[in-house]
Amino acid sequence: MNEDPVDQRLVERIQNHPKYKELVEKRSRFTWWLSIIMLVIYYAFVLVVAFAPKSLGAKISSTSVISVGIPIGVLIIISAFVLTGIYVRRANSEFDSLTQAIKEETK
Amino acid sequence: MRRLSELSALASVLLWSSGAWAADAAKPENPLNMTAIIMFFIFVTVTLGITYWAASRTKTAKDFYAAGGGITGMQNGLAIAGDYMSAASFLGISAMVFAKGYDGLIYSIGFLVGWPVILFLMAEQLRNLGRYTFADIVSFRLSRIPIRTLSALGTLCTVILYLIAQMVGAGQLIRTLFGLPYEYAVVIVGTLMILYVAFGGMLATTWVQIIKAVLLLTGATFIAIGALNHVHFDIELFFRSALEGVKSSGLADHKKVVADNKDIFAPGGLVSDPISAISLGMALMFGTAGLPHILMRFFTVANAKEARKSVFYATGFIGYFYILTFIIGFGAVVLVAPNPHYVDLAKGVLNGGNNMAAIHMAHATGGDLFLGFISAVAFATILAVVSGLTLAGASAVSHDIYANAIRGGKVDERVEMRISKIAALVIGIIAIYLGIQFEKQNVAFMVGLAFAIAASANFPILILSIYWKDLTTRGALIGGSLGLISTVTMVVLSKTVWVDVLGNKEALFPYKDPAIFSMTLAFVGCWLFSKMDSSAQAQKERALFAPQRVRCETGVGATGASKH
């Protein structure tokens, strides 16, 4: 069981604060959406690898040897980075100021 | 002073033996490379210097486990990248691209996409709820003794398996570089990592990782530029040359690709069936979120904001690095495969094995001096990763098992730290022994096995304890154990261990990656046995979810940074 004592009254004050509810709601919706986007991108890729590996070997143009799988792979890597950037941006501004406000107002 | 004398003893052992081997046993393709040896000694001297400095600043348990909590987001991002970009990634992934083409990229993508998920669902929560190990989070609500024991077991299994992969990489690398026997190289790596961890704790480990990350990213960038420079930065020509390279190659692996009519720019033999592909994908993605040495890194920063910044930087560095390994792998097909200097044509193999593709690439693009640099960097890479792993394993023994499960959290910090140092020593010795046993395995593949355990034993109980109110000790214990036992069983019965290591004729379990089965078992086990748990203990644990959530979301009550 938890080693640190929990201040029950403080917990209740925070829990009942409207901004806490707003924070939890907004952040969960946002993080689950972002996670789902990442999962969909990745598992769509995995399923193509599993069921239609040849399709990733299609050439990007008739004169090229480069397969579509290569830019797709690189784009997935970039999308992972971009998604983390999107989260950090919103968390640093909106979520952090909400958290700060909650802490101030429940002291 | 004791540290210095140990260093010089080690140095003389190394010098003596490399000299001896160069004289009578080194093969002609492994000449003594003085540049590499000098750079290697510079690295070891600098890192032991850092260890000495870190030892003087490591006084409390918080210093030892979490570097005092004073690492910045940027530093931690680099250190995470340093922890994550292992020799298995650098040598193994570029080797896989070199030998099989596109399959290497599938591994890379799987290794990377776990990071956004860690950021969205876990990074800040870990920082707000935990102190030193991920078991801190799980035992916030759940019963201390059983949960700590299970988490420690999950940690140790992951750490040991991952360590084997690193040790194999180390042995192969140093054998090629110095002409040293494999076993000897493994012993040297093991000894150095024990010194870093036991004396310098998390602070030394962090700085070893930061330095290594900067060196590795720099070195890999130069190799990739060298590869692209060869084709005048014409991407089309680059891939065309790789294709021609495979067709005209004298290597057995490439001949097999041509004979089987495989497309090197499309998924090939790595994932032979849909179940394996999905299973591997799950192990890679969720395994990252269950690696104890990675999770531990989130306790070294001051607050949730720094924790999230760490992941942003880490994802950028790691993603960039994987794109480089892809270029390096194909670059080696163009520059290394046709060159008799790197290839044993009689046997149809690359000198030192496929894992040396990136190392030969360094020589092909930058000559002896650059080869020396990259060899030293690869060596540094191994040392940094094994140190992080050893620290995570030692923390599981001292913080989870000893301090919390056995002593109920009431323990003298100095005793706990001493236990941790002894544990580091023991883990180091085990890693050396197993590293020697697993010499012939593909290193990237071994990492895949470690990931399966992390994904099936550590990740389910961690994510459920953060997000699912109804999780109880009983549910977590049964679900986590099911995940751990089923993964280990399936791995032992699979071809990798049952046939290749134990010498049996046929594998009893048909798939290389068990994650799809073991993760499902773990989650279903956690859910079912938590739901059925109506004990008084379970009610208390559910009631604690609300305060846990408040701390998780706001950081109120979280352990802050120390003042020095």
Side-chain angles (χ1 to χ4, degrees), chain B residues 345-369:
Chain B
L345 279 174
K347 290 185 192 151
V349 294
L350 203 61
N351 288 339
N354 282 341
N355 283 329
M356 287 301 128
I359 303 288
H360 292 317
M361 241 337 245
H363 189 257
T365 53
D368 282 339
L369 195 68

Side-chain angles (χ1 to χ4, degrees), chain B residues 240-376:
Chain B
R240 201 175 285 276
S241 314
L243 202 59
E244 293 306 318
V246 170
K247 279 182 190 155
S248 58
S249 171
L251 294 170
D253 281 331
H254 289 154
K255 282 180 176 163
K256 189 170 177 336
V257 167
V258 175
D260 293 348
N261 207 14
K262 286 256 167 69
D263 181 355
I264 55 164
F265 301 142
L270 173 74
V271 274
S272 42
D273 61 284
I275 296 277
S276 296
I278 297 166
S279 201
L280 175 70
M282 288 172 74
L284 295 182
M285 184 176 212
F286 297 109
T288 305
L291 290 177
H293 65 300
I294 297 286
L295 297 173
M296 213 179 159
R297 291 234 52 91
F298 290 105
F299 309 126
T300 65
V301 293
N303 52 43
K305 183 172 192 157
E306 296 302 314
R308 82 171 75 99
K309 274 159 69 183
S310 329
V311 186
F312 174 66
Y313 290 122
T315 310
F317 290 131
I318 297 167
Y320 170 67
F321 173 74
Y322 282 138
I323 292 173
L324 295 180
T325 57
F326 191 63
I327 297 171
I328 293 168
F330 279 129
V333 176
V334 180
L335 292 170
V336 170
N339 191 333
H341 184 68
Y342 308 117
V343 177
D344 185 341
L345 279 174
K347 290 185 192 151
V349 294
L350 203 61
N351 288 339
N354 282 341
N355 283 329
M356 287 301 128
I359 303 288
H360 292 317
M361 241 337 245
H363 189 257
T365 53
D368 282 339
L369 195 68
F370 194 51
L371 170 71
F373 175 73
I374 286 296
S375 304

Side-chain angles (χ1 to χ4, degrees), chain A residues 1-4 6 10-11 14-15 20 23-24 27-28 31-32 34-35 38-39 42-43 45-47 49-51 53 56-57 59 63-67 69-70 73-74 76-77 80-81 83-85 87-88 91-92 96 99 103, chain B residues 102 105-106 109-110 112-113 116 119-121 124 139-144 148 235-236 239-240 243 263 265-267 271 274 277-278 281-282 285-286 305 308 312 315-316 319 323 326 404 537 544 546-547 549-551 553-554 556:
Chain A
M1 204 72 65
N2 178 28
E3 293 97 46
D4 307 315
V6 181
L10 178 62
V11 166
I14 294 175
Q15 255 188 306
Y20 175 74
L23 172 72
V24 171
R27 177 151 54 195
S28 338
T31 51
W32 285 108
L34 289 173
S35 305
M38 189 74 253
L39 288 169
Y42 179 53
Y43 282 98
F45 175 73
V46 168
L47 289 175
V49 169
F51 290 104
L56 287 172
K59 303 302 168 197
T63 53
S64 179
V65 296
I66 300 173
S67 67
I70 291 168
V74 173
I76 295 174
I77 290 177
F81 180 58
L83 285 174
T84 59
Y87 174 76
V88 169
N92 277 350
D96 273 0
T99 310
K103 282 185 187 168
Chain B
Y102 196 79
L105 190 63
I106 299 175
I109 290 171
L112 187 72
V113 291
L119 172 64
F120 306 149
L121 301 180
E124 296 173 42
S139 62
F140 189 97
R141 288 189 289 143
L142 306 187
S143 178
R144 194 195 319 249
R148 292 272 181 185
I235 300 293
E236 178 68 38
F239 285 107
R240 201 175 285 276
L243 202 59
D263 181 355
F265 301 142
V271 274
I278 297 166
M282 288 172 74
M285 184 176 212
F286 297 109
K305 183 172 192 157
R308 82 171 75 99
F312 174 66
T315 310
I323 292 173
F326 191 63
N404 280 293
Q537 169 76 11
L544 270 173
R549 189 74 197 258
V550 166
R551 175 155 152 188
E553 292 284 347
T554 63
V556 171

Side-chain angles (χ1 to χ4, degrees), chain B residues 6 28 76 97 125 150 223 228 254 261 280 299 303 316 321 346 358 379 402 448 473 481 494 537 547:
Chain B
E6 274 164 359
N76 196 39
V97 174
Q125 289 76 0
L150 176 69
I223 303 180
L228 293 176
H254 289 154
N261 207 14
L280 175 70
F299 309 126
N303 52 43
F321 173 74
F379 186 73
Y402 175 75
T473 302
S481 310
S494 74
Q537 169 76 11

